[in-house]
Amino acid sequence: MTLDRLPIGNTAVITRVGGEGALRCRLLDMGLIPKTKVTVTKVAPLGDPIELRLRDYTLTIRLADAREIEVTEA
């Protein structure tokens, strides 16, 4: 499953970060690395972007970027 499909309030563990080049580096730099627990906390009214909670901070990313991150529910 990809991160964009994780329901609000559910927690998952990142298994793979996709994308190429600058996109992948940016996702990794933001702390979205494999074996990290992530929780979807909010979704914008029109569905994009989504707010995540990981490593004791809040991060907001676009759905297109969330589709590049594979997770398994914890």
Side-chain angles (χ1 to χ4, degrees), residues 53-65:
R53 183 80 182 159
L54 67 146
R55 299 177 183 255
D56 294 329
Y57 72 93
T58 302
L59 175 67
T60 303
I61 64 171
R62 298 179 300 189
L63 281 180
D65 296 341

Side-chain angles (χ1 to χ4, degrees), residues 17-33:
V17 178
E20 294 181 9
L23 171 62
R24 185 169 193 280
C25 287
R26 191 181 74 199
L27 294 173
L28 294 171
D29 288 344
M30 289 189 290
L32 296 165
I33 59 173

